[in-house]
Amino acid sequence: MKTIKNIKPIICLVLGAVMFLNLGCERDISDDAVEALFPNTAEVYTDAPVGLTDEFFISFNPADGANPNGFGTDDDVAFLGSSSIRIDVPSPNDPDGGFIGGIFRDRGAGRNLTEYDALTFWARGSTTATIGLVGFGTDFIQDRFAVGLENIELSTDWRQYTIPIPDASKLVQEQGMFIFSAGTDSTNGFGYTFWMDEIRFETTGTIGQPRPAIFNGQDVTQQTFIGANATVSGLVETFNLESGQDATVNVASAYYTFSSSNPNVATVDEAGVATVVGAGTTVITATLNGIEAAGSLTLESLGEFTPAPTPTRAQENVTSLFSDAYNNVPVDFFNGFFAPFQTTLGQDDISINGDNIISYTELNFVGIGTFIDVPTLDITNRTHLHVDINVQEAIDPGDFIRLQIINNVGGNEISGDFTITGDQLLSNEWSGFDVPLADFTGLNSRDNVGLLFFISDATISNIYVDNVYYYTEVIEPTPNVDDSAATQIELPIGFEASLDYGIFGFEGADSAVEANPMPSGINPTNTVIRTTKTEGAQFFAGTVLNLDAPIDFSTSQRFRMKVLSPKTGIPIRVRLENADNSVGIELDANTTTMNQWEELEWDFSSMNTSANFVRVVVFFEFIVNLPGDGSVYYYDDIQILN
């Protein structure tokens, strides 16, 4: 038998030579002759690996949680012969990885598998369990002709498993001989062992009734725009096996031939990516090995797309969930499906001329989550939520979209709501919303945010969403202002004695305050104050100025001072407080230059300025996670405009 295996490649070469001699006068070298250059070795593993790479088993990436240590061979257990492959599936909390999986790759340039109709193997388990994936065509290079059979059930006895080949004519040079992935979902987290043997490609002649499908056989309709891409998904094919049972495999797009009924509306490439090029309607369909696939994609192009306005806020003042303008934080999901109550369907991968947006259809409620596999959000220092919404339908009286933020999901939950009414929304146009977090009623803690909900209760069912982010409102400085109408605060003689050095007990705050410390030549006046953030301090440096007499900000609502900062783009927060701190208002302004004096202004006119304020608190570097270096800030010429 071993001799016959070795002769097969030689026979193929001889046959190829005969074909060349017989047909050479009529045509060029055929594709068949080229294909015959690659061996048609069927065996992958019998009593030993056959023609595989030196590594034999190539694991999935351990950085993704794959455990590379549970793979080996077993000379005491075999279906046929003397050896089998042994897989020890780890528990989810194994420090080396919570699942096991990888591929077997051909040692050479690949194999010609065009004569076979299936990959078969034998397996048994130490317990009844489910292996998540087996298949072939994955080589960790191109994975062009990957095929996968999901969730095969093991028995404690040996059983044979069959993975049909969708179109063997494609496999003229295949390196991906086998793939598997296994975890403990079916065993409630308990590890187990399974064995595999006699892995080979075969011509069974018993596989019939091929039924390919796209979108899992469903007819899907999407509204879209010129410049958008839509990818055909749900690529599967069902076969009837010798046992009489059906087997459905996931199939790579390269097996399919895709077509568009109206190429003037959208074209579709060999990977199943449809590109919208015009207005109108087209239907994307597919065939596999000459058989029409069930399912379709109808694209209704509405023409040119107007994107949401591009945000301009500085990245350091933003915590972004979804926006092309910023570095987004990790997100678990953009459509957390809360069965059985949620109807919302969602896509977060719609790209129109490079602009990515979220589409929600059949909306009743939907959540964006950051609390399962990614860190929750501490937005204590953020002041607003921004979101752009485009309603893709007529808006009726009584329609609304309610935004809800939930802190400490699954624990002692705290939530707050804000309702956007129908008259604030536009049909087929973008509406931008900047909602103060203080307006989310009941949300008095924002240090552990895990969910942002969009709720319509089905009053509005079809929306686009973009630029979802939290931010800190920063008042930009007004340079070269006219000080003629200003009244300068009269600081008391020896005012350094009235400066409070502690900033109300915030952990990590560490600062020192001095008067008249300015080096000569930078500022000649004698009223300069210096605040130093001590090296290693976690949060901020700051100073409290106690005023000689209360100031009524109902008429004097703009605060100015000159600042010299060692850094650009640093938010400086000014807080005004009354005597018992029962009223306090605050605003931020960013520095724009480094080591130069600039005049900043804080305009409190839109805020509660009815109180008499007796205390000014100035915060430097108050944003968490700024580098904990020692930084020195100077400020002077503190003024209040009448």
Side-chain angles (χ1 to χ4, degrees):
M1 188 56 124
K2 298 288 185 184
T3 304
I4 293 175
K5 292 180 185 176
N6 292 334
I7 288 174
K8 281 187 178 179
I10 299 175
I11 293 174
C12 291
L13 289 174
V14 172
L15 289 175
V18 171
M19 292 175 65
F20 174 69
L21 290 174
N22 289 339
L23 303 175
C25 296
E26 299 178 9
R27 60 177 182 169
D28 293 332
I29 296 176
S30 70
D31 290 339
D32 292 336
V34 174
E35 292 168 6
L37 295 176
F38 302 103
N40 62 351
T41 307
E43 292 78 11
V44 178
Y45 183 93
T46 52
D47 277 343
V50 180
L52 302 181
T53 56
D54 293 337
E55 300 96 329
F56 179 14
F57 168 64
I58 305 174
S59 174
F60 290 128
N61 193 341
D64 296 326
N67 191 321
N69 302 323
F71 180 88
T73 57
D74 194 329
D75 294 335
D76 296 324
V77 178
F79 169 73
L80 189 66
S82 60
S83 180
S84 68
I85 296 170
R86 173 177 171 146
I87 309 295
D88 294 320
V89 182
S91 64
N93 59 358
D94 190 304
D96 293 328
F99 78 98
I100 186 168
I103 67 168
F104 305 161
R105 189 163 61 202
D106 180 70
R107 178 193 300 272
R111 301 185 192 183
N112 184 336
L113 304 176
T114 56
E115 65 185 89
Y116 308 114
D117 62 14
L119 172 71
T120 66
F121 67 98
W122 290 81
R124 58 161 288 199
S126 61
T127 185
T128 55
T130 299
I131 301 177
L133 174 70
V134 292
F136 61 88
T138 301
D139 55 16
F140 288 174
I141 300 172
Q142 289 185 319
D143 303 337
R144 189 178 181 197
F145 295 111
V147 174
L149 178 63
E150 295 183 347
N151 299 322
I152 67 166
E153 295 182 0
L154 292 173
S155 170
T156 54
D157 297 323
W158 286 101
R159 288 185 182 178
Q160 189 178 40
Y161 300 87
T162 300
I163 308 171
I165 297 176
D167 182 0
S169 68
K170 304 283 189 180
L171 305 181
V172 297
Q173 187 186 357
E174 182 57 56
Q175 287 187 279
M177 297 293 99
F178 191 72
I179 183 174
F180 76 92
S181 177
T184 58
D185 289 345
S186 64
T187 59
N188 294 319
F190 290 99
Y192 60 95
T193 298
F194 70 94
W195 294 262
M196 297 185 296
D197 201 1
E198 299 300 312
I199 306 174
R200 56 165 49 85
F201 291 91
E202 290 192 59
T203 304
T204 68
T206 59
I207 296 176
Q209 302 177 25
R211 287 153 282 165
I214 62 176
F215 294 102
N216 295 303
Q218 301 297 309
D219 295 317
V220 177
T221 299
Q222 292 181 9
Q223 284 190 340
T224 186
F225 298 88
I226 295 173
N229 293 325
T231 301
V232 179
S233 59
L235 307 179
V236 296
E237 188 167 22
T238 301
F239 300 84
N240 188 255
L241 306 182
E242 183 179 11
S243 64
Q245 295 180 327
D246 282 345
T248 299
V249 294
N250 298 320
V251 182
S253 60
Y255 285 98
Y256 287 82
T257 300
F258 301 95
S259 62
S260 170
S261 65
N262 190 345
N264 292 324
V265 174
T267 60
V268 59
D269 64 17
E270 63 179 8
V273 178
T275 301
V276 182
V277 295
T281 300
T282 187
V283 181
I284 307 299
T285 56
T287 61
L288 196 163
N289 201 15
I291 302 173
E292 185 175 353
S296 64
L297 170 62
T298 299
L299 294 175
E300 299 175 349
S301 172
L302 304 179
E304 297 291 344
F305 176 73
T306 301
T310 301
T312 58
R313 294 181 174 87
Q315 174 71 66
E316 59 266 25
N317 298 325
V318 169
T319 301
S320 178
L321 296 171
F322 185 93
S323 177
D324 291 331
Y326 299 112
N327 297 323
N328 298 314
V329 300
V331 172
D332 282 311
F333 52 77
F334 290 94
N335 183 3
F337 198 82
F338 297 86
F341 309 105
Q342 183 179 342
T343 63
T344 308
L345 303 177
Q347 286 181 270
D348 60 338
D349 57 352
I350 294 179
S351 178
I352 304 175
N353 293 320
D355 182 38
N356 296 295
I357 63 173
I358 301 173
S359 172
Y360 291 131
T361 58
E362 299 183 35
L363 174 67
N364 63 340
F365 68 91
V366 67
I368 299 177
T370 54
F371 66 95
I372 301 176
D373 295 322
V374 303
T376 56
L377 304 180
D378 184 351
I379 57 170
T380 304
N381 289 314
R382 299 307 183 202
T383 60
H384 289 73
L385 168 68
H386 177 89
V387 61
D388 293 310
I389 299 175
N390 188 324
V391 179
Q392 292 293 296
E393 61 189 54
I395 302 172
D396 298 324
D399 285 353
F400 67 89
I401 293 177
R402 181 178 299 117
L403 306 175
Q404 182 181 59
I405 298 173
I406 298 182
N407 197 69
N408 197 27
V409 177
N412 183 21
E413 290 187 355
I414 298 173
S415 65
D417 302 90
F418 181 86
T419 299
I420 300 171
T421 58
D423 58 359
Q424 296 174 290
L425 295 162
L426 297 174
S427 180
N428 297 309
E429 293 184 42
W430 289 103
S431 301
F433 299 93
D434 293 285
V435 185
L437 294 178
D439 289 351
F440 282 82
T441 306
L443 188 67
N444 51 24
S445 179
R446 304 194 299 267
D447 59 345
N448 197 26
V449 170
L451 271 172
L452 170 63
F453 275 115
F454 294 78
I455 303 167
S456 78
D457 288 340
T459 64
I460 293 174
S461 62
N462 189 356
I463 65 173
Y464 293 143
V465 174
D466 200 359
N467 300 317
V468 185
Y469 60 86
Y470 302 101
Y471 68 92
T472 302
E473 185 178 48
V474 176
I475 306 301
E476 294 301 327
T478 305
N480 303 318
V481 294
D482 181 6
D483 293 341
S484 60
T487 301
Q488 183 167 333
I489 294 176
E490 293 295 335
L491 297 175
I493 298 175
F495 66 89
E496 65 274 11
S498 69
L499 299 180
D500 294 334
Y501 288 60
I503 308 298
F504 303 112
F506 284 93
E507 182 181 357
D510 193 357
S511 65
V513 181
E514 300 177 54
N516 308 328
M518 198 67 184
S520 60
I522 296 181
N523 190 309
T525 69
N526 293 322
T527 59
V528 176
I529 301 172
R530 177 171 70 184
T531 296
T532 302
K533 179 183 178 185
T534 304
E535 185 171 358
Q538 297 175 16
F539 297 153
F540 57 78
T543 304
V544 176
L545 298 175
N546 289 316
L547 308 181
D548 276 351
I551 296 178
D552 182 357
F553 258 69
S554 60
T555 57
S556 303
Q557 299 175 339
R558 285 183 290 169
F559 181 94
R560 291 182 187 156
M561 70 177 177
K562 292 185 173 70
V563 175
L564 189 147
S565 166
K567 304 172 185 178
T568 59
I570 295 298
I572 295 177
R573 175 170 294 178
V574 170
R575 176 178 174 84
L576 306 177
E577 298 176 351
N578 66 351
D580 61 1
N581 199 22
S582 60
V583 177
I585 58 175
E586 56 189 34
L587 282 176
D588 303 331
N590 267 358
T591 61
T592 61
T593 60
M594 180 173 60
N595 293 323
Q596 294 183 23
W597 285 102
E598 63 178 325
E599 188 164 45
L600 307 182
E601 180 176 294
W602 293 257
D603 186 350
F604 292 92
S605 59
S606 63
M607 306 179 73
N608 178 15
T609 55
S610 60
N612 288 327
F613 295 103
V614 299
R615 186 179 300 109
V616 178
V617 186
V618 182
F619 297 88
F620 296 90
E621 294 196 19
F622 64 90
I623 298 296
V624 177
N625 295 329
L626 283 172
D629 57 345
S631 303
V632 179
Y633 294 82
Y634 300 92
Y635 53 106
D636 194 8
D637 295 340
I638 301 171
Q639 298 176 332
I640 295 173
L641 261 65
N642 296 325

